[in-house]
Amino acid sequence: MAFTFAAFCYMLSLVLCAALIFFAVWHIIAFDELRTDFKSPIDHCNPVHARERLRNIERICFLLRKLVLPEYSIHSLFCIMFLCAQEWLTLGLNVPLVFYHFWRYFHCPADSSELAYDPPAVMNADTLSYCQKEAWCKLAFYLLSFFYYLYCMIYTLVSS
Amino acid sequence: MEFPFGYGLHLENYSASSGHYPQVPHEAVPSQLDNQYVADYHSACYSIPVQSVMTPSVGPSMLNTQQLYSGAPHPVESAGGLTQGAISSASYLHTSVPQSYSALSSHYSSSTSSSVASQGFSLSSGHYAMPTISSALYPNLSYPSMSVGSPYGQVFTSQSLPAVGQFKETNTFPNQSSAVPRTLQQQITLGYNSTSWSTSDFQSAQDNFSRNNTGSLAKASSQINTVGILDSLHPVSQNVQFTNPGVETSVVSSAVTSSIRTPVGDHLTEPASVPSSTQPSESLLQEAIDSSSTTSSASPVINNYDALEGGGYPETNSATSSPAPTPQTSRMPKPFGYGYPTLQPGYQNATPSTSAMQPSNPGHHSGFQQYPQYPGVNQLSSTLGGLSLQHSQQPESLRPVNLTQERNILPVSPVLAPVPNLNSDLRKLNCSPDSFRCTLTNIPQTQALLNKAKLPLGLLLHPFRDLTQLPVITSSTIVRCRSCRTYINPFVSFIDQRRWKCNLCYRVNDVPEEFMYNPLTRSYGEPHKRPEVQNSTVEFIASSDYMLRPPQPAVYLFVLDVSHNAVEAGYLTIVCQSLLENLDKLPGDSRTRIGFITFDSTVHFYNLQEGLSQPQMLIVSDIDDVFLPTPDSLLVNLHESKELIKDLLSALPNMFINTRETHSALGPALQAAFKLMSPTGGRISVFQSQLPSLGAGLLHSREDPNQRSSTKVVQHLGPATDFYKKLALDCSGQQTAVDLFLLSSQYADLASLACMSKYSAGCIYYYPSFHHSHNPAQAEKLQKDLKRYLTRKIGFEAVMRIRCTKGLSIHTFHGNFFVRSTDLLSLANINPDAGFAVQMSIEESLTDTSLVCFQTALLYTSSKGERRIRVHTLCLPVVTSLSDVYAGADVQAAVCLLANMAVDRSVSSSLSDARDALVNAVVDSLSAYISTASNLQQSTLIAPNSLRLFPLYVLALLKQKAFRTGTSTRLDDRIYAMCQIKSQPLVHLMKMIHPNLYRIDRLTNEGAIHVNDRVVPQPPLQKLSAEKLTREGAFLMDCGSIFYIWIGKSCDNSFIKDVLGYPNYASVPQKLTQLPELDTLSSERARSFITWLRDSRPLNPVLQVIRDESPAKTDFFQHLVEDRTEAAFSYYEFLLHIQQQICK
């Protein structure tokens, strides 16, 4: 029973993982809100509604953009910590996602840094469903890793 | 004519039958029934016309027809019945037509037909007045009975010769009298049969002939291009037939096996001997001469097959000095396109029937002969789908074309949209292809099938097209499906009198009480005869339910750049002048408001409040935080302050003449404009002449001129800043559209600026190197564009929703708009020149339906402050076999959709990716086709007839400014081309991608058509290759927004003198932008042809006359897409490249 660095890493990541789960859930809700609109045609025709809807979309996209960097940095922090703690298995599990995040972040089209979750682009049914799927997958991943970290934390605490 | 009867019955039947659909036996029976129906129908309605047609008809053809019809039950029907019979039985339906017809037959004979129409509609739309036509007509009600035909009939009678290029004919129909709608096309398509009928009423022998031509071609041409060509061939074969049957046979046979080529000599002599020989023969002659002269005096950029390949075409090249390949243009297509004149020109078998009829008859009867034998089989094969390929008969659109062998792939007359393979009633009801087109007119049943076909699935829309005739419905309740909100349309089914079943979600709805009354017939209890159910394009005037605030007035704000640069270019004079001229024509009502903002390094407002003695200029120099000096009086009522506005417009051009301000604060000016517009919404027109250099949204030059012709990476296709996009979104939220006119001589970062229009549903105009005196062509273009821009129709605060049958889903939109929710486009403004494209996927397989429908509903506020909904509905059949998918491919629509996708790809990824994707689209689809047709040789490059132009169009796309590499292209030009691709409707886009080339120095009246008492010659299309240009000729290239006339060095002096008005070639000036009005025959012909081309489109194109050695020549030559350039393949090389890729 010893409080090693690895155990600390797991504890910290446990907490942060909860935050990530929260982010993922928020993403799902946000995309759902983007997708659904009132069915009533009359509301659609109403310019006031149009304005509100547009505001809403912009606000959501703005928040989504705000969350991109925290999420990615938290996740990279995990990886760095596990690298330092020499937890190879855990690192191996996380590396693919890190690469995906890097790709996603740097694969923005040329010239503009803000094209991720761009209101006109994200409303595309294709993009939207892609984002939604991505959010669900991440939620699943974070949930599983949450329990995995919990297990590992206890394991390291108990074993050493 | 067959319209009025039992519409509803048909509908009922349709619903009933859809269940039976898969059961083959039902469908195998039909021919008998159909024939019967035909007979009944004719004897009832048309016996007289038929006879009158028959009697004078030319001997041989008469004989033929009778032979053909020996098997048919009623000999009387023959000539007349042909068309009709073909409709019903050859129709190859997916619903069980025979039943319905048999059920209906009594109705047919008894139905009093046609002129049910008049009352209801004349009230609702003012456009209806058609001076030339009787009031009974109202073709838009889909009663395209006799009366619709009558204009046609007159057209033909007045014609000296059988029509060549029926397509053009139909196009011009609208022009005939101003009141007859240009947009009638939809009615035209609907009314084809009746067209031919009515013609037959008036006509005598030679008209019978032309009738056959037209009737059949009208339908045929919309299916396949070859038929178009065929048409022109037709007269020739006819003539030849009488004089020398032997030659005819050889023509036919050469058409069948395209490898055998008869030496041209025969043809030349043959038609020449017949004095009345028609244009085609002339064109043969011409072309023969053309090509011979080409070979003798090699023109500069020839990269034709011969040059490349040497012995590529041994039979043709070696044998005679030249002409052999050329006449093929007219021979290649099978003369049997006439097969099913009304319906299914596409679905006849190529080879076997050909040889069968060869000996006996001239081309256009052959089809009739075939028809009675096949209909049953046709339907059977359509039901069983996959069999059709193996079966001896193959739809024309599936006829394999060996691309590398086929030298003249381009048809002589413009390509028409394929007609969906529906039963004739549905077909007549269907939406016009000009408004609504699908890339696949046969929708595959499953996504797997679609994936196998490797063709893009999507829609191309032109929803707000100028329609002069449109049923406008005022009704307090607009009938819509309760669950999916679909508007009631012709493709719904009535279960009984009181209930209808939605064709998109299949929910059963009640028919409201009000709908039971038909204002058209003033009868009760016939909901299926309501105009909503009789027309696939209708407009509703929305009730107050559809608005929560009063409809907005028309508000126009002009934001003008007055910096030194702009003043230098001198655009202000043109803009102010155009505005002054069109001030009264601005669409709007008494509430119309207008305002002006000018800007350089400061922003200037103009107080035009009524009561002022002169306009007051207010300058705001705080560009970091722009405010409105007097918010109330900047946008003023057009009518109340008209004098002040006029004063301002006449003063403006001179006000800034001595300005030394070179900066441009576009961003702040736009912010001010947005503030000004946000309470009402409306339209902002921005005129900008340089890179914005001050305040918010300032931009820096990003273009490296050395990279213009780079073959590798093209950068900066995306915006540099988000400012304009955000502004556009704000504007969109306030129902304001921003239209951009960029008149820059230098790089102005259109990629960033365009965002302001893209997301606010505006439009973009770009005039590179604009100068009022140095560049008169651009100045003229601006003037013309402005005229159109200011006076065209406009819709405000619009939303557009596209619905489709359950199972299909729409996923990506292209165009200028903001997507507000996944299927709803928010359009601050909608204009008649805006086109949209939509990509679709098949989410659930469509097993339980044989038809799918798409509906676009565009809700807008008209300039008169009315809330209106324009609804288009398109219906397409579902198919299960891959070959049927290919048979229904619409190559133009597919290319346009691919172009849209490629633009997205080049912005989000890279240009080279987009180019690869385009090439892969061809490679994938052709290789998929080759692998399905197992009997074909794998080594040759085969395409189905429907896709034979696919490689050509894609090559043209690769050489388009938007996607080309290697050739020096300015970044702004490239971006502008991309913007055009995204926002132009299909018709314009196709001209942009693949211009039309005509030879105009020898226009003849052969095959000419009559428009407004003017004779419009119809020269054949030439392929876009320098090989076709001869020094002796003059050529007209129609690129949509610009016409080039290229004059060869040794062009006939008489042409230059008679048409251009100069004594000889050397004296033709470098910058000639219009043709003088000379009193010579050739001048008249040339002008009437050009005017006719101009009239067929909203944007008034500019004419540019180019001499062979003038520097502007490159503009012309860059459009010759079939030739090789330093950086790009020639057409033949491209084919080889594709072949290589396929074999890999």
Side-chain angles (χ1 to χ4, degrees), chain B residues 316-631:
Chain B
T316 61
N317 287 338
S318 53
T320 56
S321 68
S322 61
T326 353
Q328 252 178 323
T329 337
S330 39
R331 249 187 295 140
M332 202 174 54
K334 316 230 178 269
F336 321 111
Y338 286 96
Y340 303 121
T342 39
L343 265 201
Q344 283 297 320
Y347 290 79
Q348 57 196 331
N349 50 341
T351 338
S353 65
T354 321
S355 49
M357 67 185 102
Q358 226 180 46
S360 61
N361 42 25
H364 70 290
H365 289 297
S366 50
F368 302 151
Q369 182 187 34
Q370 300 167 244
Y371 132 71
Q373 304 157 359
Y374 290 119
V377 189
N378 245 335
Q379 288 177 4
L380 196 126
S381 71
S382 78
T383 0
L384 296 183
L387 287 184
S388 56
L389 248 183
Q390 280 73 35
H391 215 270
S392 62
Q393 56 176 176
Q394 227 172 36
E396 173 62 22
S397 52
L398 265 185
R399 180 172 61 89
V401 176
N402 189 337
L403 292 172
T404 43
Q405 296 288 313
E406 201 95 356
R407 195 164 152 74
N408 292 296
I409 203 88
L410 200 67
V412 170
S413 61
V415 183
L416 293 186
V419 176
N421 181 17
L422 293 165
N423 90 36
S424 59
D425 288 346
L426 289 182
R427 177 173 309 200
K428 263 168 258 151
L429 289 172
N430 224 346
C431 194
S432 148
D434 292 331
S435 313
F436 212 146
R437 241 163 116 166
C438 184
T439 54
L440 301 176
T441 52
N442 292 334
I443 302 287
Q445 195 178 46
T446 58
Q447 180 72 34
L449 188 60
L450 176 63
N451 291 344
K452 246 190 250 167
K454 305 268 187 197
L455 288 168
L457 177 60
L459 301 171
L460 284 116
L461 306 168
H462 191 179
F464 203 56
R465 201 162 61 94
D466 283 322
L467 292 162
T468 32
Q469 252 188 349
L470 171 76
V472 180
I473 295 160
T474 322
S475 150
S476 58
T477 50
I478 294 172
V479 183
R480 302 175 68 176
C481 172
R482 268 192 294 159
S483 89
C484 67
R485 310 298 303 165
T486 301
Y487 296 81
I488 196 165
N489 59 66
F491 311 105
V492 301
S493 43
F494 285 90
I495 291 170
D496 54 37
Q497 284 281 350
R498 312 293 314 201
R499 287 181 301 160
W500 61 279
K501 192 175 172 195
C502 173
N503 54 338
L504 268 66
C505 67
Y506 308 119
R507 184 197 160 106
V508 176
N509 293 275
D510 291 336
V511 175
E513 185 59 31
E514 199 189 333
F515 202 71
M516 298 297 289
Y517 175 73
N518 185 355
L520 218 62
T521 55
R522 303 219 170 131
S523 59
Y524 185 83
E526 291 179 325
H528 50 267
K529 288 196 179 160
R530 292 267 303 194
E532 294 95 318
V533 189
Q534 296 281 357
N535 295 283
S536 58
T537 298
V538 289
E539 189 155 282
F540 296 97
I541 296 188
S543 55
S544 53
D545 300 346
Y546 288 80
M547 40 195 156
L548 286 187
R549 71 169 194 182
Q552 71 167 65
V555 182
Y556 305 110
L557 178 65
F558 294 87
V559 179
L560 306 163
D561 183 0
V562 291
S563 61
H564 177 75
N565 225 342
V567 173
E568 231 298 291
Y571 84 91
L572 260 182
T573 331
I574 297 174
V575 172
C576 292
Q577 197 57 40
S578 301
L579 254 174
L580 270 176
E581 280 164 13
N582 296 304
L583 213 51
D584 296 324
K585 294 184 209 145
L586 282 179
D589 53 8
S590 59
R591 302 179 298 160
T592 309
R593 292 158 77 187
I594 194 167
F596 296 89
I597 291 178
T598 56
F599 64 94
D600 39 31
S601 61
T602 55
V603 182
H604 322 136
F605 297 88
Y606 296 87
N607 184 347
L608 299 165
Q609 193 62 356
E610 194 193 1
L612 289 173
S613 59
Q614 61 177 40
Q616 202 179 3
M617 181 169 162
L618 305 156
I619 300 177
V620 173
S621 54
D622 181 10
I623 55 167
D624 294 329
D625 182 20
V626 184
F627 60 94
L628 301 179
T630 52

Side-chain angles (χ1 to χ4, degrees), chain A residues 37 41-42 44-47 50-51 53-54 57-58 109 111-112 114-115 118-120 123-126 128, chain B residues 545-546 548-549 702 716 719 722 725 729 733-735 759 797 801 811-812 818-821 824 859 867:
Chain A
D37 198 3
I42 291 159
H44 281 312
C45 320
N46 179 6
R51 212 164 305 147
R53 169 79 184 158
L54 203 114
I57 292 172
E58 285 195 316
D111 295 331
S112 174
E114 289 199 51
L115 280 177
D118 177 40
M123 286 308 293
N124 217 326
D126 234 10
L128 207 53
Chain B
D545 300 346
Y546 288 80
L548 286 187
R549 71 169 194 182
R702 296 188 291 168
H716 309 304
D722 273 0
K725 184 187 287 177
L729 291 181
Q734 303 292 349
Q735 305 296 345
Y759 301 108
E797 40 185 4
R801 194 189 280 277
H811 62 78
T812 308
F818 176 68
V819 191
R820 209 197 289 160
S821 75
L824 185 81
L859 172 75
R867 212 67 177 131

Side-chain angles (χ1 to χ4, degrees), chain B residues 868-1123:
Chain B
R868 286 170 169 241
I869 308 163
R870 186 174 290 187
V871 179
H872 301 276
T873 316
L874 178 75
C875 177
L876 296 173
V878 176
V879 296
T880 49
S881 83
L882 198 51
S883 54
D884 286 340
V885 176
Y886 282 113
D890 180 343
V891 68
Q892 292 195 323
V895 164
C896 290
L897 185 65
L898 281 174
N900 274 299
M901 291 157 70
V903 171
D904 275 3
R905 177 71 75 92
S906 37
V907 176
S908 67
S909 175
S910 74
L911 195 66
S912 52
D913 260 19
R915 286 172 58 89
D916 290 348
L918 282 174
V919 177
N920 287 338
V922 185
V923 172
D924 289 348
S925 59
L926 291 189
S927 65
Y929 172 74
I930 291 173
S931 60
T932 52
S934 51
N935 54 340
L936 299 173
Q937 292 168 314
Q938 297 285 329
S939 58
T940 49
L941 187 59
I942 305 281
N945 197 29
S946 57
L947 287 178
R948 73 193 196 289
L949 293 174
F950 197 23
L952 177 60
Y953 285 155
V954 168
L955 178 69
L957 210 49
L958 293 176
K959 292 185 176 181
Q960 232 281 323
K961 268 187 188 155
F963 302 113
R964 71 186 181 191
T965 53
T967 316
S968 176
T969 312
R970 300 188 327 146
L971 191 53
D972 277 350
D973 285 347
R974 191 187 291 279
I975 305 274
Y976 180 60
M978 288 184 173
C979 295
Q980 294 275 86
I981 287 175
K982 288 283 251 180
S983 61
Q984 293 283 301
L986 184 135
V987 249
H988 303 169
L989 190 52
M990 272 326 292
K991 290 252 171 59
M992 220 176 98
I993 295 171
H994 192 272
N996 291 341
L997 183 68
Y998 306 94
R999 178 160 189 180
I1000 56 157
D1001 62 328
R1002 289 171 196 189
L1003 293 175
T1004 58
N1005 273 359
E1006 314 289 347
I1009 55 169
H1010 290 248
V1011 181
N1012 287 342
D1013 299 332
R1014 240 183 22 234
V1015 183
V1016 179
Q1018 300 288 303
L1021 275 181
Q1022 309 276 353
K1023 69 174 183 172
L1024 292 173
S1025 164
E1027 166 198 357
K1028 288 285 175 200
L1029 303 178
T1030 69
R1031 290 184 185 191
E1032 287 80 22
F1035 290 82
L1036 173 76
M1037 187 187 278
D1038 170 10
C1039 306
S1041 60
I1042 191 161
F1043 288 151
Y1044 294 107
I1045 292 184
W1046 178 87
I1047 298 171
K1049 231 173 222 152
S1050 31
C1051 181
D1052 200 3
N1053 262 346
S1054 67
F1055 174 80
I1056 293 174
K1057 201 156 55 190
D1058 290 349
V1059 177
L1060 301 176
Y1062 291 91
N1064 54 35
Y1065 175 76
S1067 60
V1068 176
Q1070 295 280 1
K1071 285 174 182 165
L1072 185 63
T1073 56
Q1074 68 199 96
L1075 296 184
E1077 296 212 2
L1078 298 176
D1079 197 20
T1080 57
L1081 189 62
S1082 46
S1083 165
E1084 206 171 288
R1085 278 180 187 153
R1087 278 184 292 117
S1088 78
F1089 180 57
I1090 290 170
T1091 323
W1092 175 73
L1093 285 177
R1094 268 194 182 146
D1095 287 347
S1096 66
R1097 74 205 66 201
L1099 292 180
N1100 222 338
V1102 178
L1103 184 78
Q1104 203 172 344
V1105 178
I1106 293 174
R1107 275 183 359 186
D1108 191 25
E1109 79 274 14
S1110 85
K1113 178 172 97 163
T1114 46
D1115 291 343
F1116 177 80
F1117 277 94
Q1118 73 183 358
H1119 291 294
L1120 297 177
V1121 293
E1122 292 197 24
D1123 292 334

Side-chain angles (χ1 to χ4, degrees), chain A residues 30-71:
Chain A
F31 290 125
D32 201 55
E33 180 154 2
L34 284 180
R35 187 183 280 275
T36 47
D37 198 3
F38 304 96
K39 268 267 174 192
S40 161
I42 291 159
D43 266 336
H44 281 312
C45 320
N46 179 6
V48 182
H49 169 72
R51 212 164 305 147
E52 271 168 21
R53 169 79 184 158
L54 203 114
R55 287 279 140 73
N56 224 359
I57 292 172
E58 285 195 316
R59 191 174 44 83
I60 294 170
C61 289
F62 179 74
L63 279 173
L64 282 173
R65 262 186 234 166
K66 286 271 159 181
L67 283 184
V68 168
L69 215 55
E71 186 195 333

Side-chain angles (χ1 to χ4, degrees), chain A residues 16 23 28 59 63 66 68 70-71 77 103 108 116 118 125 127 133 136-137 139 144 149 159:
Chain A
L16 290 176
F23 284 173
I28 290 169
R59 191 174 44 83
L63 279 173
K66 286 271 159 181
V68 168
E71 186 195 333
L77 181 71
W103 174 79
C108 283
D118 177 40
T127 326
K133 263 182 223 150
W136 277 107
C137 291
L139 179 65
L144 286 177
Y149 297 151
S159 65

